[in-house]
Amino acid sequence: MKRIQLGNSELSVPVISLGCMVMHQSTKEEANKVIHNALEHGIDFFDHADIYGKGKSESVFAEAVEMNPSIREKLIIQSKAGIRSGFYDSSKEYLISSVENSLKRLKTDYLDVFLIHRPDALMEPEEVAEAFSDLEKSGKVRHFGVSNSRPRQIELLKRYVDQELVANQLQLSITNSGMINQGLYANTSFDQAMDFDGGVIDYSQINNMTIQAWSPLRYGFFGGFIMDRDAYPELNKELDKLGEKYGVARETIAIAWILRHPANVQTIIGTMTPKRLTEMVKAADITLTREEWYQLWQSAGNKLL
C-alpha cells in the first residue's frame, strides 16, 4: 500500500483508509473480518466520528479488534466531532467531552488524529484553541485537523491554535469534483467556474494539508453510487473500459481517478465487505494516464475547453 505524509506531521498514512461510518450495523465478528482484511492490505488508518451510529461504530470497532496496547500501536485512529442533533457545536466543553467519550468507546488513551466535523457559524476560535491545547497536553490527541472547511475558515482557526492542522476531510469523487472543476474552467462564464470552496485544493497543496476524500464512489450529497449505469451511462462505459485494461472493477478505477491527482489525496472507503475492499485497494497500484484521467472526467458530464 502506497503511503503519504499526513500534512506536515510525521505521521505516515496509507493513501486508502477505511471509513467506519456504518460499522455499527456489523456484528463483532463481521467487523473483525473487515478490519483484519484492511490490515492485511496495508490499511492501518481508520476514520470515525462521534455521530457514526451514535457512537456505536467506535464501540463495535474496539470490540472487534479486542483493543489492547499491543494492538493499539498498530493502528492509526481518527475521529471527528462537532455535529449534534439539530446544530453544530465547536465549544471547548463539547469538543473535549466528545474526545473523552470516543476514547472510552474505542478503549484507548489517545486519538492519532481529531477533526472538527463541520464549520460552526458560532465557533469561537479561542475556545477551539483552548480545547486543542488541553487535548494535546493531556496526551489525548496527537494531531488535529478540520472537515468540510474552506481556506479562510482554516486560516481563521490557524490564527488561534498552536497545533498544525494536518488534514481537511472533503467530499470528492469523479462526479463531485467541483474543487477541481473551478480551476479547469477558470476565466469562463460556465457554471463550473464558480468557486464554491475558496480554491481549497490549491490551498491544500500550497500549505501541504492533506485532503481526505469522503464518499469517493457517490454522486450528489450522499446520493447513489456512480456505478449506477442509469445515472451515468457514459462514465460507466469508460470505467468498464479501463477496468478491463487494468484488470480491476469499476469501483477501483473510480478511486484511482482520485489518487491520480497531484494533491496526494487520502481516500476514505466505507465498505464493510472484505471482498470489495480487497478489490478497491488495487487502486493504489494504478496510475492512470493523463488521457484516461481527462476522459473519465469528461464522461461524467464535463467539457474540455
Side-chain angles (χ1 to χ4, degrees):
M1 174 61 66
K2 179 184 176 183
R3 301 182 76 88
I4 57 174
Q5 182 182 359
L6 189 69
N8 286 318
S9 75
E10 80 291 348
L11 202 57
S12 171
V13 299
V15 293
I16 296 176
S17 60
L18 182 67
C20 301
M21 185 174 74
V22 297
M23 188 167 280
H24 65 282
Q25 299 173 1
S26 303
T27 65
K28 173 183 175 180
E29 292 72 23
E30 291 169 339
N32 179 277
K33 291 179 181 179
V34 173
I35 295 166
H36 284 282
N37 183 57
L39 290 170
E40 289 172 4
H41 288 94
I43 297 177
D44 56 3
F45 189 105
F46 301 91
D47 176 67
H48 292 272
D50 60 351
I51 64 166
Y52 292 168
K54 297 181 179 179
K56 187 179 177 182
S57 288
E58 292 177 328
S59 299
V60 171
F61 179 88
E63 293 169 4
V65 298
E66 298 181 350
M67 190 71 78
N68 62 61
S70 64
I71 290 174
R72 178 65 183 92
E73 66 182 14
K74 300 175 183 177
L75 310 174
I76 302 173
I77 300 178
Q78 170 175 282
S79 196
K80 305 179 291 292
I83 302 176
R84 303 185 70 176
S85 181
F87 63 103
Y88 296 150
D89 191 348
S90 61
S91 65
K92 175 183 177 180
E93 180 183 13
Y94 181 70
L95 294 180
I96 291 177
S97 65
S98 178
V99 168
E100 290 175 341
N101 289 329
S102 286
L103 295 178
K104 291 176 183 176
R105 291 189 292 265
L106 289 164
K107 298 180 181 179
T108 181
D109 296 326
Y110 68 95
L111 294 175
D112 294 284
V113 188
F114 174 64
L115 309 181
I116 296 180
H117 208 160
R118 279 275 175 187
D120 173 14
L122 303 180
M123 179 189 75
E124 298 284 354
E126 297 93 339
E127 278 198 50
V128 175
E130 290 177 8
F132 281 12
S133 292
D134 286 357
L135 290 169
E136 182 181 49
K137 290 175 182 177
S138 64
K140 294 174 182 176
V141 176
R142 297 186 174 179
H143 303 284
F144 298 84
V146 295
S147 182
N148 305 298
S149 292
R150 295 185 179 196
R152 288 196 176 185
Q153 293 170 322
I154 296 169
E155 285 297 310
L156 172 62
L157 194 55
K158 285 169 68 173
R159 282 190 61 189
Y160 295 88
V161 301
D162 295 325
Q163 298 76 18
E164 186 82 28
L165 299 179
V166 299
N168 187 7
Q169 194 170 119
L170 299 159
Q171 186 175 18
L172 176 62
S173 70
I174 299 178
T175 56
N176 286 62
S177 57
M179 68 177 74
I180 296 173
N181 295 356
Q182 57 92 18
L184 289 173
Y185 282 87
N187 197 36
T188 74
S189 59
F190 291 101
D191 290 343
Q192 292 94 328
M194 295 184 68
D195 183 1
F196 290 105
D197 53 39
V200 71
I201 199 162
D202 300 321
Y203 173 88
S204 300
Q205 289 179 270
I206 291 169
N207 292 277
N208 195 27
M209 190 175 188
T210 299
I211 290 176
Q212 298 177 335
W214 60 268
S215 286
L217 299 177
R218 289 184 179 273
Y219 61 86
F221 185 70
F222 282 113
F225 289 100
I226 61 178
M227 287 73 63
D228 180 349
R229 294 178 185 275
D230 293 332
Y232 290 94
E234 292 304 315
L235 172 58
N236 275 279
K237 287 180 183 179
E238 286 300 315
L239 291 172
D240 284 339
K241 174 183 174 182
L242 292 174
E244 183 176 353
K245 172 184 174 180
Y246 289 98
V248 297
R250 285 179 288 163
E251 294 91 333
T252 307
I253 296 298
I255 294 170
W257 184 88
I258 296 174
L259 298 181
R260 179 63 176 82
H261 196 280
N264 281 328
V265 177
Q266 183 188 33
T267 303
I268 301 171
I269 58 176
T271 182
M272 293 291 109
T273 304
K275 184 177 181 180
R276 290 190 69 215
L277 186 145
T278 296
E279 170 59 33
M280 287 189 281
V281 297
K282 297 176 184 176
D285 298 319
I286 295 174
T287 302
L288 298 174
T289 67
R290 286 176 177 268
E291 183 179 5
E292 290 166 347
W293 189 92
Y294 275 103
Q295 187 57 45
L296 282 168
W297 179 75
Q298 292 176 81
S299 68
N302 300 299
K303 293 183 179 179
L304 200 63
L305 302 180

